[in-house]
Amino acid sequence: QVQLVESGGGLVQAGGSLRLSCTASGRSLSAYAMGWFRQAPGKEREFVAAISWSGANILYTDSVKGRFTISRDNAGNTVYLQMNSLKPEDTAVYYCAADYDMGSRPGRRGNDYDYWGQGTQVTVSS
């Protein structure tokens, strides 16, 4: 069983930056594909970014390319999402997710991930 805990969310002005962390307990994440998703009020959950176990394969949704960076520290059992040039439309609850079967080929579909954190709120003011 993998337990995921996100942190680093908060309130920031447009143009600012935040770094989200997702730390795992219960099992090493080193073989897992990891993803970040977000859900804004009244909207469906959407894919943000994903990274393979080695970090060699990385995916982003188009709206965050060039602004967000996903990375991982397998020794520290942590995945990060560096968010720069934040916009009000980035406001959402951000979730991290993990999946073993997709280890080297992370996906964009939330249903493909087996483990989820509780989420951290990111609010970007205009």
Side-chain angles (χ1 to χ4, degrees), residues 14 19 27 29 32 61-62 76 78 99 101 107 115 123:
R19 188 175 81 156
R27 192 168 293 182
L29 287 181
Y32 285 71
T61 193
D62 286 346
T78 301
D99 189 80
D101 291 337
Y115 302 102
T123 303

Side-chain angles (χ1 to χ4, degrees), residues 9-116:
L11 174 63
V12 64
Q13 288 188 331
S17 298
L18 285 173
R19 188 175 81 156
L20 304 184
S21 299
C22 173
T23 301
S25 61
R27 192 168 293 182
S28 170
L29 287 181
S30 61
Y32 285 71
M34 301 295 299
W36 284 98
F37 293 77
R38 65 187 180 187
Q39 187 167 20
K43 295 187 177 181
E44 293 187 352
R45 182 181 63 195
E46 66 170 342
F47 169 78
V48 177
I51 187 169
S52 62
W53 69 269
S54 67
N57 293 320
I58 291 177
L59 304 174
Y60 296 102
T61 193
D62 286 346
S63 63
V64 308
K65 284 181 180 177
R67 300 189 299 122
F68 290 12
T69 302
I70 188 171
S71 61
R72 65 189 299 159
D73 172 10
N74 286 339
N77 235 20
T78 301
V79 176
Y80 303 99
L81 186 68
Q82 177 67 44
M83 305 186 298
N84 299 329
S85 302
L86 281 161
K87 304 176 181 180
E89 51 263 44
D90 294 318
T91 295
V93 177
Y94 283 71
Y95 299 90
C96 71
D99 189 80
Y100 180 81
D101 291 337
M102 290 193 294
S104 63
R105 294 179 292 178
R108 300 173 182 267
R109 300 192 311 171
N111 288 345
D112 289 337
Y113 289 81
D114 287 336
Y115 302 102
W116 291 82

